[in-house]
Amino acid sequence: GGPPLEIRVTTDEANNTLTVSDTGIGMTREELVSNLGTIARSGSKAFVQEMQMQAEAGDGAGAGGDSSGVIGRFGVGFYSGFMVADKVDVRSRSAGKAAEDEGTQHEALVWESTGTGRYTISPLPEEVRQERGTSVVLHLRPDLSEYSNEATVEAVLKKYSNFVGFPIYLNGNRVNTVDAIWLDDPKSVDQEKHNAFYKYVSSMYDDPLSTIHFRADAPLDIKALFYIPSFHQEKYGMGRMDPGVSLYS
């Protein structure tokens, strides 16, 4: 039971907040401490240490000691919230067995910090609703109030999160409505789908002159989709075209 797996983004200009919620498994008090307590105890440091151990144990061909892969993992992305917020609240209700073992399966918690190295964890007031999952509330800095504006956030989501695998709702409205067809088997995507997808990502009205769609799984797992436009607007004095290659992990 429970709500479907999805991401919900809510803007509140009156209170200058931006809230990002999911309907996942949530976190217990222990998990809030271990995952959000400090960067030293976060999964990010453990991830880097594990890669270093693998590199030392092997010939370095696998992990290679390269820590660039830490970006976007564990606590690194979360702590970037303090770049735009004076205060961050993390509200969570766990759905896992760990919560049952602690006898707090019905208790929602709130982790609060101003990014100064200290935090508090307390029961979430009953009047504040929190379903199974986690909500991150950013109390935005006054000079960054633009991110409490729905139109601004919608533009950011469509540019950077349009092909996230889970539904994203902004103030109740679905944002990511186009499937990432480059993940599909090239043989299963016909030219009509390619034409429609090309027009969506390029904001053009022509059909692509040529389409390159391939997948490879060795030595790297790569899924590539490349379109060559049939219309060259620079040729007709309509201004310089911006590069159109995007990378998704």
Side-chain angles (χ1 to χ4, degrees):
L5 296 177
E6 59 190 29
I7 300 169
R8 304 165 183 170
V9 182
T10 306
T11 59
D12 185 343
E13 290 190 88
N15 293 304
N16 198 30
T17 61
L18 173 64
T19 303
V20 181
S21 305
D22 66 41
T23 54
I25 61 174
M27 290 182 282
T28 64
R29 179 182 296 269
E30 182 181 28
E31 289 168 336
L32 285 170
V33 171
S34 61
N35 292 326
L36 304 180
T38 62
I39 189 66
R41 294 190 61 184
S42 76
S44 302
K45 184 176 182 180
F47 175 72
V48 173
Q49 290 176 338
E50 182 180 352
M51 287 198 304
Q52 291 173 341
M53 291 175 60
Q54 290 177 353
E56 293 171 359
D59 58 4
D66 180 11
S67 61
S68 61
V70 73
I71 302 301
R73 294 176 180 266
F74 310 107
V76 176
F78 168 72
Y79 280 100
S80 67
F82 290 104
M83 296 174 64
V84 297
D86 289 327
K87 181 175 179 286
V88 175
D89 301 341
V90 179
R91 305 167 182 167
S92 195
R93 184 186 297 275
S94 176
K97 186 176 184 304
E100 297 177 4
D101 293 341
E102 293 178 11
T104 58
Q105 64 268 40
H106 300 300
E107 181 183 27
L109 301 169
V110 55
W111 179 99
E112 299 174 275
S113 177
T114 56
T116 57
R118 297 182 179 182
Y119 65 90
T120 61
I121 298 178
S122 56
L124 187 68
E126 293 185 1
E127 64 270 17
V128 180
R129 183 178 179 183
Q130 175 62 49
E131 298 180 326
R132 182 203 71 203
T134 300
S135 298
V136 179
V137 184
L138 303 177
H139 298 265
L140 298 166
R141 288 163 30 191
D143 58 322
L144 292 170
S145 60
E146 61 188 287
Y147 293 107
S148 65
N149 176 267
E150 181 176 358
T152 299
V153 174
E154 181 178 8
V156 172
L157 289 173
K158 287 188 173 181
K159 183 175 182 179
Y160 296 106
S161 303
N162 215 27
F163 303 112
V164 170
F166 294 97
I168 300 177
Y169 292 89
L170 174 61
N171 296 335
N173 299 313
R174 177 78 180 267
V175 176
N176 56 335
T177 57
V178 178
D179 293 331
I181 65 172
W182 69 82
L183 298 176
D184 298 336
D185 185 340
K187 296 179 181 178
S188 69
V189 184
D190 58 29
Q191 193 57 47
E192 183 177 350
K193 285 186 177 180
H194 276 303
N195 291 346
F197 189 76
Y198 162 78
K199 291 173 182 176
Y200 177 81
V201 297
S202 66
S203 299
M204 299 291 283
Y205 298 97
D206 60 318
D207 292 331
L209 179 66
S210 181
T211 299
I212 301 172
H213 185 190
F214 74 94
R215 301 175 65 174
D217 56 13
L220 297 175
D221 183 13
I222 297 176
K223 302 174 180 66
L225 180 57
F226 191 78
Y227 295 116
I228 299 176
S230 61
F231 177 72
H232 185 16
Q233 67 181 26
E234 293 182 28
K235 180 179 178 181
Y236 299 97
M238 299 177 64
R240 185 175 179 81
M241 298 177 69
D242 294 327
V245 177
S246 301
L247 298 177
Y248 297 91
S249 62

